[in-house]
Amino acid sequence: MARAIERIEEEIRSLSAAEKVELLRALIAELDAPADAEVERAWLEEAQRRHREMIEGKVKGVPGERVFENLKLRLGR
């Protein structure tokens, strides 16, 4: 198995940059699971609910800079 991987790596290194990009895109697409219609529907409903709450003034948005700063603090970075 390791020998096969080494051979594949060798072949990949000989590809042009554009060919490598094409290969990566194909591999990533293969790894991505097909979208689950129920999950997509649930996310859409959640996004619509949150948008509605902001429009109605029930919640306030948080600036992205503040969100990322809070994350850095929580992660200790």
Side-chain angles (χ1 to χ4, degrees):
M1 180 75 148
R3 200 162 186 77
I5 292 173
E6 287 174 11
R7 194 171 57 247
I8 293 168
E9 279 185 30
E10 228 175 87
E11 289 182 36
I12 291 170
R13 291 185 201 290
S14 71
L15 297 174
S16 70
E19 290 170 322
K20 288 176 184 175
V21 168
E22 187 179 333
L23 175 60
L24 283 172
R25 285 187 177 145
L27 291 172
I28 290 170
E30 186 177 307
L31 290 173
D32 282 345
D36 181 329
E38 284 298 308
V39 172
E40 293 295 319
R41 184 191 53 74
W43 274 115
L44 178 59
E45 288 176 4
E46 180 66 14
Q48 290 171 334
R49 181 187 65 78
R50 290 180 183 195
H51 180 257
R52 201 170 38 253
E53 287 179 345
M54 287 190 70
I55 298 298
E56 294 169 355
K58 292 180 180 177
V59 296
K60 283 188 174 183
V62 177
E65 294 160 352
R66 184 169 166 203
V67 170
F68 288 113
E69 188 58 41
N70 288 343
L71 281 172
K72 286 178 187 175
L73 291 172
R74 290 177 77 182
L75 296 173
R77 295 183 182 170

